[in-house]
Amino acid sequence: MTGYTMLRNGGVGNGGQTCMLRWSNRIRLTWLSFTLFIILVFFPLIAHYYLTTLDEADEAGKRIFGPRAGNELCEVKHVLDLCRIRESVSEELLQLEAKRQELNSEIAKLNLKIEACKKSIENAKQDLLQLKNVISQTEHSYKELMAQNQPKLSLPIRLLPEKDDAGLPPPKVTRGCRLHNCFDYSRCPLTSGFPVYVYDSDQFALGSYLDPLVKQAFQATARANVYVTENADIACLYVVLVGEMQDPVVLRPADLEKQLYALPHWRADGHNHVIINLSRKSYTQNLLYNVSTGRAMVAQSTFCAAQYRPGFDVVLSPLVHAMSEPNFMDIPPQVPVKRKYLFTFQGEKIESLRSSLQEARSFEEEMEGDPPADYDDRIIATLKAVQDSKLDQVLVDFTCKIQPQPSLPTEWALCGEREDRLDLLRLSTFALIITPGDPHLVISSGCATRLFEALEVGAVPVVLGEQVQLPYQDMLQWNEAALVVPKPRVTEIHFLLRSLSDSDLLAMRRQGRFLWETYFSTADSIFNTVLAMIRTRIQIPAAPIREEVAAEIPHRSGKAAGTDPNMADNGDLDLGPVETEPPYASPKYLRNFTLTVTDFYRSWNSAPGPFHLFPHTPFDPVLPSEAKFLGSGTGFRPIGGGAGGSGKEFQAALGGNMPREQFTVVMLTYEREEVLMNSLERLNGLPYLNKVVVVWNSPKLPSEDLLWPDIGVPIMVVRTEKNSLNNRFLPWNEIETEAILSIDDDAHLRHDEIMFGFRVWREARDRIVGFPGRYHAWDIPHQSWLYNSNYSCELSMVLTGAAFFHKYYAYLYSYVMPQAIRDMVDEYINCEDIAMNFLVSHITRKPPIKVTSRWTFRCPGCPQALSHDDSHFHERHKCINFFVKVYGYMPLLYTQFRVDSVLFKTRLPHDKTKCFKFI
């Protein structure tokens, strides 16, 4: 214990032993470090020297660590694979190097070509700039020449006469009034628009005497008329209603004359006034007889010879349907042509029965002496003889079973009620109308009523008495709808009626139906006809028919339109240039101010068929921006033919009589965005396309994030007021071309097919030209018409889901075609294409034209449309039969004609391609 303590405390006895221990440890560590250093440094050096000395030996076989030859090394089994890999890689590297050198040389050549192309592009840009300058200069020169040859005239300043200016001196005889001496043309310039001021009947004492129904109907149609203005100071024409009077009101001529002269704009002589006396009953007072009307025109249904001024006054039709539209379901069909009775007549004229039938002498005996003043007795005897002969079934009755309607002296009074008379006329092929025996009675309301009822039910009127003035006779060609026979020829009337062929009889019945619907049927048609007659007489053009203002739906475009291989695969056909300039609209119709003068006689009196009257009907469908239908391309457009040939020289130009023309695609859609986008993309690159009008028929707007394709032409998305298939045919103001391609949103047509259809339509502009054909057939067991979509050797319809038609038909469909047809389309949400085919065939009396051999055009994989519903065909059957009732006959015509290329299936050389023409 003591020793240990001493050692810890560093005792003196143990100090030397400790120091030796420390020194010994240090020496041992130093020696160990030196030994390791010698081993690590000198041993490798010695080994290296030794090995090097062995490799330098003279005998090659004594090499142990030196490098060996390649073949010796490859003899080693595990190195053989590495050798093969090395050799393969070496070969590949050599090949890659050769390719690299080859590519470098090609790159160098391409760089040279790129430089050459850049120089060519620069040269082409310079040439293009020069061409643009030349084109600009040429266009400027052309405009200067056109301005010199056809200067645009500014509208003349309208000078209105003073309010109290009487104008021209009055004629010596009031009956001598004509337009040149009784009408003030200064109030009606060509550019005035024909403003008409209508007096408010309720503001004058005369209005309290008027029949309430007549006054209400007249006021309603006046408010809706496009020419009526409330500013009397600028009016060209002033209209005042004076009849029909209420029963038993009798207004003395002096009182009526006093009230007329008290009108605020009468101006002493009533020039530029029209006095209208409408007759709702078969007997209407001749209010204006013995009334001095001055220079005012008179329009009524009863005229005396001393009262009527030809070319100045207007003979009106009676106002039978005052406040109601005619019911087409009550109107009998126009076929069969022959009805039960050959002709019928019912009437009674008490004052003319001065001699009995037994005492009647022959016409030869009468003509030997003085000519008789009244042929009625002879007419009775002749017609009775025809009835008794029983060669044909005839019904004539000269005595009414009940009290006859009131009539004028020497006039044949109507028998029975209106419905009884219509029932008899429905069974009559011809309806006899015997004019009054008094030659001084030009026309009576009774005769006008007989004419109205005959036309309404399709009985061809036969008017006995050539002195009669039929309604609107100086404007309408009555010989196309009625027979006017002098009374002395009554003995030949039977022969004349039997000699008419069925085709002529049907044409007259059809024309009579058209005249009745257009000019007689309603108060609106009567008032519009009066204004149209006066406007045409003073040679003022009609107001343009209104267009539907397109409410555009904003949409985003910019999506690059792809190219459908099926659409672009046209072989070696050159379909024509894709327009790079702004869309080219059809030339404007600039003949409006000369049309009335130059085309008056041709339009009203010469053109065959019902169509020729449409441009001058009270509806006035004069196109605001397009050329006149059927006359486009003649007279005011440059004429130029195609390049001819059978290949590229023909296809490079549109050809035809109008070498420059485009068309507008109208596409109806309803909440099928994906299908719509695909259809729009397929139109990319289509030549001669002006624009695309998408009729958005859904109340729900398109998706906001929907990106519309950019197809190179404007896409106008139009919002409609309601979901209606009739919207397809609205005359949108955005349609600036005459040609319209109506196409469904799922139609699948190639570009060459569309171009072929367009070329064909340009040579048949008055017809529907399209792809899917259909036909109608008569169902014998059910005695009704059927709609058929089967393959057939003939057709009568071309569906407007893929068809070209003229924009003119859009106006007629929307504004002229009977409203009952459009209502039927809205009820079934179907049949709008059938309705358009009915309309065009009714107007032109021609069938549509089918192009190519395709019968279907739906895109594969698209969602099913309405036509796949089972009820689709049943509804179309009903539509056809209803349309036939509205038109009164079946207007559709069969055709076995299909249009193909002139060189269809013709073997041609490789450098030639087929031309788009038809046979």
Side-chain angles (χ1 to χ4, degrees):
M1 186 66 180
T2 304
Y4 173 75
T5 304
M6 292 177 60
L7 182 59
R8 285 175 56 96
N9 297 330
V12 178
N14 295 328
Q17 187 179 357
T18 304
C19 291
M20 288 297 294
L21 182 59
R22 294 177 178 173
W23 181 80
S24 175
N25 291 335
R26 291 176 180 174
I27 292 175
R28 194 179 295 116
L29 291 174
T30 301
W31 174 252
L32 181 58
S33 299
F34 179 75
T35 303
L36 292 175
F37 176 76
I38 293 298
I39 294 171
L40 295 175
V41 174
F42 287 97
F43 182 76
L45 293 176
I46 294 171
H48 181 269
Y49 174 77
Y50 176 74
L51 293 175
T52 303
T53 303
L54 292 177
D55 287 340
E56 292 177 355
D58 294 336
E59 298 179 1
K62 296 182 180 180
R63 294 181 188 173
I64 301 175
F65 300 99
R68 298 175 178 267
N71 56 350
E72 294 178 359
L73 183 62
C74 290
E75 292 177 358
V76 183
K77 184 177 181 180
H78 64 279
V79 184
L80 292 176
D81 294 337
L82 296 176
C83 292
R84 286 194 297 270
I85 292 173
R86 184 186 68 178
E87 294 175 357
S88 175
V89 171
S90 299
E91 292 178 359
E92 291 179 359
L93 290 175
L94 292 175
Q95 294 176 359
L96 290 176
E97 179 64 20
K99 289 183 179 180
R100 186 183 67 82
Q101 294 177 359
E102 183 180 355
L103 291 175
N104 286 335
S105 63
E106 291 181 0
I107 289 173
K109 293 179 181 179
L110 292 176
N111 288 333
L112 295 176
K113 290 183 179 180
I114 290 174
E115 294 298 329
C117 290
K118 288 182 179 179
K119 294 180 180 179
S120 300
I121 290 174
E122 293 297 329
N123 295 333
K125 287 182 178 179
Q126 295 296 329
D127 295 341
L128 179 61
L129 183 60
Q130 294 178 1
L131 289 175
K132 288 183 177 179
N133 293 333
V134 172
I135 292 174
S136 178
Q137 294 175 2
T138 304
E139 289 179 350
H140 183 70
S141 301
Y142 174 75
K143 291 180 180 179
E144 290 181 348
L145 292 175
M146 292 297 294
Q148 294 175 2
N149 297 329
Q150 298 180 357
K152 291 186 177 181
L153 302 178
S154 300
L155 295 178
I157 299 176
R158 185 176 183 184
L159 301 177
L160 296 177
E162 298 294 335
K163 293 183 178 180
D164 298 332
D165 184 13
L168 298 173
K172 296 180 180 180
V173 182
T174 305
R175 191 173 179 273
C177 258
R178 298 298 184 269
L179 289 175
H180 69 277
N181 58 2
C182 286
F183 191 83
D184 185 5
Y185 280 89
S186 65
R187 301 197 64 87
C188 306
L190 291 175
T191 59
S192 64
F194 192 61
V196 177
Y197 179 79
V198 179
Y199 288 99
D200 187 359
S201 302
D202 295 331
Q203 296 181 0
F204 304 98
L206 186 63
S208 60
Y209 303 132
L210 297 177
D211 186 310
L213 284 179
V214 173
K215 181 171 66 174
Q216 184 180 358
F218 181 79
Q219 292 176 345
T221 187
R223 285 193 297 267
N225 193 275
V226 67
Y227 297 106
V228 173
T229 179
E230 295 181 358
N231 188 354
D233 296 333
I234 66 171
C236 164
L237 198 68
Y238 299 86
V239 179
V240 56
L241 180 67
V242 299
E244 175 176 74
M245 293 290 182
Q246 300 183 60
D247 291 333
V249 175
V250 178
L251 195 63
R252 295 186 306 170
D255 296 337
L256 178 58
E257 183 176 331
K258 181 179 180 180
Q259 295 192 28
L260 289 176
Y261 278 74
L263 293 174
H265 306 287
W266 187 260
R267 297 185 180 92
D269 58 2
H271 61 275
N272 291 44
H273 275 65
V274 179
I275 304 173
I276 296 181
N277 180 20
L278 296 172
S279 59
R280 196 167 63 88
K281 297 183 292 292
S282 61
Y283 174 73
T284 301
Q285 304 174 37
N286 190 358
L287 295 176
L288 299 175
Y289 190 71
N290 292 328
V291 174
S292 176
T293 57
R295 295 183 183 175
M297 301 178 189
V298 176
Q300 61 182 9
S301 300
T302 301
F303 276 103
C304 294
Q307 183 185 13
Y308 180 69
R309 296 164 292 184
F312 192 75
D313 293 330
V314 180
V315 178
L316 291 183
S317 61
L319 180 61
V320 178
H321 300 286
M323 293 299 297
S324 61
E325 295 288 336
N327 187 1
F328 291 100
M329 305 303 293
D330 295 337
I331 300 176
Q334 299 184 25
V335 290
V337 178
K338 300 293 180 61
R339 296 179 177 176
K340 178 179 179 180
Y341 297 108
L342 177 63
F343 63 85
T344 59
F345 177 82
Q346 281 185 328
E348 182 175 345
K349 190 169 78 169
I350 300 177
E351 295 187 16
S352 65
L353 299 179
R354 295 185 300 269
S355 60
S356 63
L357 299 180
Q358 291 78 9
E359 298 176 355
R361 294 179 299 167
S362 65
F363 278 108
E364 290 78 4
E365 295 175 354
E366 293 280 1
M367 296 304 295
E368 289 178 357
D370 296 331
D374 190 354
Y375 288 100
D376 289 350
D377 293 342
R378 310 298 178 251
I379 292 174
I380 293 173
T382 303
L383 297 182
K384 282 287 186 180
V386 173
Q387 184 179 23
D388 295 339
S389 67
K390 298 183 179 180
L391 295 175
D392 290 290
Q393 199 165 1
V394 174
L395 191 151
V396 290
D397 193 352
F398 301 103
T399 303
C400 296
K401 297 179 180 179
I402 60 176
Q403 183 67 27
Q405 302 290 332
S407 62
L408 297 176
T410 72
E411 181 188 17
W412 287 91
L414 294 171
C415 295
E417 299 297 331
R418 167 178 159 81
E419 292 302 326
D420 297 332
R421 298 194 300 269
L422 292 180
D423 291 339
L424 179 60
L425 290 174
R426 289 187 180 96
L427 303 176
S428 307
T429 305
F430 296 94
L432 291 186
I433 301 174
I434 305 175
T435 58
D438 185 0
H440 301 292
L441 190 59
V442 175
I443 184 67
S444 64
S445 58
C447 287
T449 301
R450 290 181 181 272
L451 180 66
F452 180 96
E453 293 176 351
L455 295 176
E456 182 178 4
V457 296
V460 177
V462 179
V463 182
L464 287 177
E466 78 284 1
Q467 81 284 358
V468 69
Q469 289 290 328
L470 298 179
Y472 324 121
Q473 185 166 336
D474 53 345
M475 290 295 175
L476 302 182
Q477 196 74 357
W478 275 106
N479 60 355
E480 296 180 357
L483 294 174
V484 180
V485 182
K487 287 185 177 181
R489 293 191 180 276
V490 67
T491 56
E492 302 172 319
I493 195 69
H494 187 206
F495 166 78
L496 178 62
L497 298 185
R498 293 192 65 179
S499 64
L500 286 176
S501 64
D502 289 353
S503 59
D504 293 338
L505 183 56
L506 182 59
M508 296 182 68
R509 184 174 294 167
R510 186 185 304 124
Q511 182 69 6
R513 171 71 176 271
F514 167 76
L515 296 180
W516 177 79
E517 289 182 359
T518 309
Y519 306 106
F520 292 75
S521 57
T522 62
D524 186 64
S525 61
I526 294 175
F527 181 68
N528 289 336
T529 302
V530 172
L531 297 186
M533 285 189 62
I534 299 173
R535 177 185 52 73
T536 306
R537 285 175 176 175
I538 62 178
Q539 301 177 353
I540 293 182
I545 195 170
R546 68 182 179 91
E547 291 188 300
E548 291 294 326
V549 179
E552 184 179 5
I553 299 177
H555 60 281
R556 294 188 303 131
S557 61
K559 173 185 176 183
T563 302
D564 190 337
N566 297 325
M567 300 295 103
D569 185 13
N570 299 311
D572 55 356
L573 293 179
D574 182 8
L575 300 181
V578 179
E579 301 291 342
T580 57
E581 61 180 355
Y584 173 74
S586 296
K588 304 297 182 182
Y589 185 45
L590 301 178
R591 294 183 60 213
N592 286 341
F593 291 110
T594 57
L595 169 67
T596 309
V597 181
T598 59
D599 292 354
F600 175 81
Y601 180 80
R602 178 185 64 81
S603 298
W604 286 90
N605 298 303
S606 300
F611 165 73
H612 73 280
L613 293 171
F614 271 112
H616 301 276
T617 63
F619 303 101
D620 292 334
V622 176
L623 304 192
S625 61
E626 288 76 23
K628 184 181 177 184
F629 185 68
L630 296 180
S632 57
T634 60
F636 57 92
R637 285 191 177 178
I639 304 299
S646 60
K648 294 183 179 179
E649 65 271 15
F650 175 84
Q651 296 164 7
L654 189 58
N657 294 322
M658 286 179 292
R660 191 184 187 199
E661 187 175 14
Q662 295 179 343
F663 62 90
T664 302
V665 169
V666 176
M667 186 178 296
L668 187 72
T669 187
Y670 186 90
E671 296 183 3
R672 297 201 296 181
E673 295 180 353
E674 182 179 356
V675 175
L676 175 64
M677 295 303 107
N678 293 334
S679 296
L680 292 176
E681 289 185 7
R682 286 194 292 270
L683 299 177
N684 184 32
L686 180 61
Y688 305 109
L689 179 59
N690 180 272
K691 70 173 61 171
V692 179
V693 177
V694 177
V695 181
W696 191 264
N697 223 23
S698 171
K700 180 182 177 182
L701 295 179
S703 304
E704 296 181 357
D705 56 349
L706 182 63
L707 192 61
W708 296 68
D710 184 3
I711 60 175
V713 297
I715 297 178
M716 174 70 64
V717 185
V718 178
R719 184 175 185 176
T720 58
E721 296 181 357
K722 64 176 182 178
N723 178 20
S724 173
L725 294 180
N726 293 315
N727 296 331
R728 179 195 295 272
F729 302 125
L730 285 174
W732 303 105
N733 61 340
E734 291 296 334
I735 301 176
E736 300 177 318
T737 61
E738 296 179 14
I740 295 178
L741 172 58
S742 175
I743 191 170
D744 288 341
D745 58 359
D746 58 353
H748 197 74
L749 293 174
R750 298 194 310 270
H751 287 186
D752 63 308
E753 293 176 323
I754 295 176
M755 284 308 305
F756 180 50
F758 181 48
R759 289 178 182 270
V760 172
W761 176 86
R762 282 165 45 84
E763 301 192 22
R765 308 174 72 88
D766 59 334
R767 300 162 81 172
I768 299 177
V769 176
F771 301 89
R774 302 291 186 266
Y775 68 97
H776 66 289
W778 179 251
D779 183 9
I780 297 178
H782 297 88
Q783 293 294 296
S784 63
W785 294 101
L786 296 178
Y787 170 85
N788 202 314
S789 63
N790 296 329
Y791 292 95
S792 174
C793 294
E794 61 182 4
L795 57 93
S796 59
M797 292 175 283
V798 167
L799 302 187
T800 55
F804 285 92
F805 63 88
H806 200 287
K807 187 181 179 182
Y808 186 86
Y809 291 126
Y811 295 99
L812 297 185
Y813 184 98
S814 301
Y815 305 137
V816 179
M817 187 180 69
Q819 180 63 37
I821 296 180
R822 293 190 291 272
D823 294 340
M824 184 78 166
V825 172
D826 287 336
E827 179 182 356
Y828 285 147
I829 317 179
N830 199 343
C831 307
E832 85 288 355
D833 46 1
I834 301 178
M836 177 59 81
N837 277 271
F838 266 69
L839 174 66
V840 177
S841 296
H842 172 66
I843 297 300
T844 64
R845 302 307 301 138
K846 298 178 182 178
I849 296 178
K850 173 176 169 51
V851 293
T852 75
S853 60
R854 294 187 57 179
W855 285 80
T856 59
F857 54 89
R858 301 296 178 186
C859 62
C862 292
Q864 289 188 351
L866 295 175
S867 58
H868 291 83
D869 192 355
D870 294 337
S871 62
H872 175 74
F873 286 94
H874 297 288
E875 294 173 349
R876 294 174 85 82
H877 299 329
K878 296 179 182 178
C879 287
I880 286 185
N881 288 279
F882 178 77
F883 296 165
V884 168
K885 290 182 179 179
V886 173
Y887 282 99
Y889 75 111
M890 169 53 75
L892 298 179
L893 298 173
Y894 293 106
T895 179
Q896 301 174 10
F897 179 80
R898 193 189 79 192
V899 176
D900 287 306
S901 169
V902 168
L903 299 179
F904 179 65
K905 292 186 177 181
T906 302
R907 295 182 180 272
L908 295 175
H910 295 291
D911 59 340
K912 297 292 184 180
T913 53
K914 296 178 181 179
C915 55
F916 291 110
K917 300 290 282 185
F918 66 90
I919 54 177

